[in-house]
Amino acid sequence: MRVLLAQRWADGFLDETPTAGQARVHPSVWITLVPVDDQFFVRSGGSRALAAYTREFGARAVARKTASRLRERDRNRRYVGVGLGTVEPAPFPGGEAPASPTAVPAPGSPVAFVAPCHPACMERVVLHRDLIRPVRAADVPRPVDPGARPGGATIVHRARPASPPPVVDDALVGWSPLAGIALDPAAVDRLVAWLAVEWRGARPDDRLLTGASPIATSTRRRPAPGAAPGSARRPTAALFGLGHYAKTQIVPHIGEHLDLIRVHELDPVQIGARRTDRWSWDTSPLPAEDDPADVLLIAGYHHTHAPLAHAALRRGSAAVVEKPLVTTEEDLEELAKLIDGGGRLFACFQRRHSPINAWLRTDLRLGEAREPMLYSAVVYEEPLPARHWYRWPASRTRLVSNGCHWIDHFLWLNDFAPVRRATVTSARTGTFTVYVELVNDAILSLVLTSAGGSRFGLREHTELRANGVTATIVDGARYSAEAGSRILRRRRVNRLDSYPAMYRGICERLVAGAPGENAREIRAVAELTLRLDTAAARQGPAC
């Protein structure tokens, strides 16, 4: 389909895939209202920032990050729009959509709509039923572009309203049905009522956009060349979520062991119009029934991780899941049952794969178990954009989104000893202070904050103490250990090296048919993280 990007009516994009409670609308009128700002991380790309990142992470990693961010420029241009159109037939992925309470207008129905987080205009748009209102057929125009080819459908795009629109409700700007936020119907009704007054026919400065492309929500990969004689077949993999992390860490590091056959990404603009044919593309949020993969690589919105892992394990596929593994207690229970029943799940906690761990175990003499560990960390995270999806209620707090890394690392170093007590304080400024004590007397003190600043993203200062030794980790890259007057060790690593090491180790286990994570260990990390998150939520909203 076609999408209006920076005044270009660009062709070649996939269509969105509607799910239960959503409808595909073919617009006849689209009026752009206001930009959706402060939704994504947008880097300035200044020379100082590039120099700092290059010194810290290396030229190759910075090149990957830069290429990924540049490809997201079109994705970042989002607007609130309103329009008139007609509902198109849209089969529900995986079968028939349920009837009420998720009913949507029947195909062919004339509707008014609000597009709260979309490009400036689209040839077709998928919208939640709460964003659609029925109108009379006479209200939906059928304009004809004299220059259009026969049968071509035309959309009237109005970049600037002719009359002042009402103030768009802030909760509606950037709204997504995935966020876990209830939509106020009055916010939609006000815009639809204004549209009835605003639209009185095309104006001279309106733009006619022609498009009659067939609906396509997926593509096929080109036939793979035959394997060399005697070579082993690589397990096939499907990736869910083509975000910055997947582009810079997953895709570059799995190719040696896994055959990536399909990429699922909900946003057609994130996929882009120029895309490789080395694998299939799909905008469906669900696994493909006709092209099952041996492995599901799960890195989408946080609350989708567990349902996709459930689907993978039920069908006999392995699941490689980026943090967090779960966002609800119910998802954790189901996941633990599937793992206990033989399902293979591999958790992507990269701190377990840093070379620093071997030095920690040696220098702190953790194997001797003479003295309990004191693990103290202060972690700085970049302030989130105001509308970033990490802030969605469905994503929970930063304890679930990122704090789980330090919680997992602490429990992993202590062989997942049971928790004696755990507390958390959530400050009004968004800073979390966590205290955890295990039955082996090990203690975790963790502070998560966005107060302060950073030249290159996340920063940390971690100290681990045991058996008369203090080990210090700065930014996951600089390590030192001291005892009394002696420096036992000083080392420096590239903190991003833990990612290829993690995926190499996971892929080798997948190829060898080795079991995945232990359900007891998965439960230990997730239960503690969710328990702390729930306690923090009771103290009021935090960033």
Side-chain angles (χ1 to χ4, degrees):
M1 69 169 176
R2 292 178 178 271
V3 177
L4 185 61
L5 299 168
Q7 302 302 315
R8 294 177 293 108
W9 188 228
D11 198 3
F13 292 90
L14 292 178
D15 281 85
E16 300 165 287
T17 298
T19 56
Q22 296 182 326
R24 176 177 284 120
V25 176
H26 190 296
S28 296
V29 175
W30 191 304
I31 302 175
T32 301
L33 297 181
V34 295
V36 179
D37 55 358
D38 213 12
Q39 186 177 25
F40 304 107
F41 282 107
V42 179
R43 307 300 183 187
S44 63
S47 57
R48 266 188 196 173
L50 283 173
Y53 269 80
T54 302
R55 284 193 299 270
E56 186 69 15
F57 304 121
R60 177 179 293 184
V62 171
R64 280 189 184 135
K65 285 176 175 286
T66 302
S68 171
R69 293 302 186 192
L70 288 174
R71 286 196 293 267
E72 292 175 344
R73 286 179 297 181
D74 287 337
R75 187 277 313 261
N76 295 345
R77 298 185 180 103
R78 295 295 161 123
Y79 303 88
V80 177
V82 297
L84 299 166
T86 306
V87 175
E88 294 199 349
F92 180 68
E96 290 297 319
S100 62
T102 59
V104 296
S109 300
V111 295
F113 65 84
V114 175
C117 187
H118 293 74
C121 187
M122 303 172 71
E123 184 179 349
R124 288 176 292 271
V125 61
V126 170
L127 296 165
H128 190 268
R129 67 184 185 278
D130 291 345
L131 297 166
I132 300 171
R133 298 291 186 269
V135 296
R136 297 177 307 150
D139 295 333
V140 180
R142 300 291 182 186
V144 176
D145 179 1
R149 62 181 183 275
T154 303
I155 305 167
V156 178
H157 176 248
R158 184 169 294 175
R160 297 179 189 84
S163 59
V167 175
V168 181
D169 190 89
D170 188 66
L172 181 59
V173 177
W175 183 83
S176 167
L178 299 173
I181 301 173
L183 186 62
D184 181 6
V188 176
D189 292 339
R190 283 192 293 271
L191 292 178
V192 171
W194 169 81
L195 176 62
V197 177
E198 165 74 10
W199 177 253
R200 288 290 183 264
R203 296 169 55 86
D205 55 347
D206 290 342
R207 183 176 177 184
L208 298 182
L209 304 174
T210 303
S213 61
I215 295 173
T217 60
S218 63
T219 65
R220 284 293 196 186
R221 71 189 300 212
R222 71 167 182 260
S231 62
R233 170 187 171 274
R234 289 181 297 163
T236 58
L239 170 65
F240 284 80
L242 189 69
H244 181 65
Y245 176 84
K247 288 182 289 184
T248 58
Q249 299 300 343
I250 300 179
V251 174
H253 297 137
I254 63 165
E256 181 181 349
H257 298 91
L258 302 181
D259 179 14
L260 184 60
I261 62 171
R262 184 179 290 263
V263 172
H264 291 252
E265 167 56 46
L266 304 182
D267 184 357
V269 182
Q270 178 79 328
I271 293 175
R274 296 182 179 180
R275 49 188 177 265
T276 181
D277 59 0
R278 288 181 293 159
W279 46 75
S280 303
W281 296 92
D282 201 325
T283 59
S284 171
L286 304 176
E289 296 295 335
D290 61 340
D291 197 9
D294 300 318
V295 180
L296 265 62
L297 305 164
I298 301 170
Y301 294 125
H302 291 165
H303 67 286
T304 68
H305 290 185
L308 284 170
H310 297 164
L313 301 188
R314 288 190 190 112
R315 68 195 293 178
S317 301
V320 178
V321 188
E322 170 58 12
K323 58 80 186 171
L325 304 184
V326 299
T327 56
T328 70
E329 289 77 3
E330 294 78 12
D331 281 342
L332 173 59
E333 289 304 314
E334 180 63 19
L335 193 61
K337 289 178 184 177
L338 290 167
I339 295 173
D340 282 335
R344 294 201 300 159
L345 180 141
F346 299 85
C348 295
F349 290 115
Q350 84 278 356
R351 292 180 70 84
R352 300 183 186 183
H353 300 268
S354 170
I356 288 175
N357 291 313
W359 306 329
L360 278 175
R361 293 186 184 277
T362 299
D363 296 339
L364 295 177
R365 304 196 300 278
L366 297 182
E368 300 177 14
R370 287 175 11 201
E371 184 178 309
M373 173 195 301
L374 173 60
Y375 187 123
S376 176
V378 177
V379 180
Y380 167 85
E381 300 175 291
E382 288 187 273
L384 291 171
R387 305 186 200 278
H388 196 275
W389 63 269
Y390 267 45
R391 294 182 181 269
W392 290 353
S395 299
R396 303 193 65 154
T397 72
R398 70 174 65 194
L399 282 170
V400 170
S401 298
N402 279 331
C404 60
H405 278 301
W406 284 266
I407 293 170
D408 171 80
H409 193 227
F410 170 68
L411 292 177
W412 180 72
L413 287 172
N414 284 279
D415 297 323
F416 301 95
V419 176
R420 178 182 292 143
R421 55 179 168 167
T423 62
V424 60
T425 300
S426 173
R428 293 177 62 186
T429 56
T431 295
F432 291 90
T433 304
V434 173
Y435 173 86
V436 178
E437 183 180 319
L438 305 182
V439 296
N440 66 357
D441 294 327
I443 292 173
L444 167 67
S445 171
L446 171 64
V447 176
L448 296 171
T449 187
S450 292
S454 167
R455 289 174 295 124
F456 43 80
L458 185 144
R459 308 294 297 269
E460 69 157 315
H461 185 94
T462 300
E463 292 185 354
L464 297 92
R465 301 168 186 270
N467 299 311
V469 178
T470 298
T472 303
I473 304 169
V474 179
D475 298 333
R478 287 170 284 281
Y479 173 87
S480 65
E482 58 187 74
S485 60
R486 293 187 304 126
I487 299 295
L488 303 180
R489 193 190 310 263
R490 278 201 184 103
R491 295 288 187 274
R492 177 163 183 162
V493 298
N494 187 323
R495 75 185 190 194
L496 295 184
D497 286 350
S498 59
Y499 291 96
M502 175 177 70
Y503 285 108
R504 183 169 56 251
I506 289 174
C507 288
E508 288 173 351
R509 293 164 65 191
L510 284 166
V511 172
E517 311 295 340
N518 182 290
R520 180 186 70 86
E521 298 173 357
I522 293 293
R523 188 186 294 276
V525 176
E527 280 186 345
L528 177 56
T529 304
L530 294 176
R531 174 181 163 189
L532 291 167
D533 184 86
T534 300
R538 291 197 202 102
Q539 301 173 33
C543 300

